[in-house]
Amino acid sequence: MDSIRYSDLHPVLQGKRLIAFDLDGTLIDSVPDLAAAVACALRELDLPEPSESDVRDWVGNGAPVLVERALAWALQAAPDPALQRRGYDAFMTYYGAAPSVLTTLYPGVQPALQALHKQGMTLVLITNKPERFIEPLLKHFELLDYFTLWVGGDSLAEKKPSALPLLHAAQTSQIPPSECVMVGDSRHDIAAGKAAGFTTVALPYGYNHGEPIEDSHPDLVLSSLTELLMTVPHATRTA
């Protein structure tokens, strides 16, 4: 029977030593759990609940912005600061209680991370999700051991599309930006990567506010994380 094994890195990774990955929309599809938490928060405030497809277009800028967009949708107006705080606190409570019930890992993520790790690449996670949720999610999906560092949206003074989280990861890892790659699904990932001097790789299946990721002009667009690795067929035959 024919089978597939990973043999080498994609040419875009030649000369690179660090790969930074986004989380939501890149490694995991977290929208179902995010949408459930948003719905519970708005229900608590006696406001209409958005659909999962609505929430899918709001994800990407961190929890405070997600809640602000949900409230603005429900009110058809910008929420006042007090309501924003109540909504945010409610969302964090509901999401914190169940961050991985409906969330799924995208196909190819685990084998790709495992293979890249075995190839000696330094893997870091840079997300706009609050830091408190990162480790539990990585543990749940058995990805924790692949990453040497993770940075959340509230870990530093700025988050993506700022270059700061990426430059922090490069400096902490003692690897120059020219030897780093940013892999993500949104314009914020690509903008942050370009600003930091990283090579940028985009995936088209995540959350990008309904816009084609190609419009952000990444260095490379791949359909799956497994395409970061070259594969060769090898046949197993019996006499």
Side-chain angles (χ1 to χ4, degrees), residues 21-231:
F21 291 93
D22 174 53
L23 181 59
D24 300 77
T26 298
L27 303 184
I28 60 173
D29 183 4
S30 55
V31 163
D33 282 314
L34 292 169
V38 167
C40 288
L42 267 60
R43 188 184 314 134
E44 184 174 307
L45 298 173
D46 295 320
L47 292 172
E49 302 170 24
S51 68
E52 184 176 306
S53 62
D54 289 326
V55 175
R56 191 169 292 273
D57 283 339
W58 300 336
V59 172
N61 295 94
V65 176
L66 170 60
V67 172
E68 181 181 11
R69 287 170 175 159
L71 289 172
W73 171 87
L75 297 167
Q76 294 298 297
D80 62 57
L83 186 62
Q84 170 72 20
R85 171 50 60 183
R86 288 176 61 198
Y88 177 77
D89 289 345
F91 168 80
M92 292 292 280
T93 297
Y94 287 115
Y95 186 64
S100 56
V101 174
L102 303 173
T103 295
T104 56
L105 202 64
Y106 284 113
V109 168
Q110 198 281 337
L113 294 179
Q114 182 182 53
L116 290 166
H117 186 261
K118 286 184 177 180
Q119 290 274 2
M121 299 294 295
T122 296
L123 307 182
V124 302
L125 191 73
I126 301 178
T127 173
N128 284 346
K129 183 185 288 294
E131 185 177 350
R132 61 182 274 199
F133 300 125
I134 299 174
E135 187 170 353
L137 282 166
L138 291 179
K139 283 184 176 179
H140 176 79
F141 289 107
E142 300 181 346
L143 303 178
L144 190 66
D145 292 342
Y146 299 133
F147 295 97
T148 61
L149 171 73
W150 49 87
V151 180
D154 53 359
S155 300
L156 302 171
E158 299 174 4
K159 60 180 181 288
K160 297 176 297 183
S162 168
L164 179 63
L166 283 68
L167 294 174
H168 169 78
Q171 183 177 23
T172 301
S173 304
Q174 298 185 320
I175 297 175
S178 61
E179 298 177 17
C180 299
V181 177
M182 178 70 218
V183 179
D185 66 294
S186 81
R187 63 177 186 254
H188 310 297
D189 300 313
I190 305 308
K194 289 179 178 293
F198 284 31
T199 296
T200 54
V201 175
L203 298 160
Y205 53 67
Y207 323 139
N208 193 34
H209 314 288
E211 302 171 7
I213 193 61
E214 291 84 357
D215 291 352
S216 296
H217 305 292
D219 294 304
L220 181 68
V221 178
L222 300 176
S223 62
S224 167
L225 284 186
T226 56
E227 293 178 18
L228 286 171
L229 295 124
M230 307 298 288
T231 59

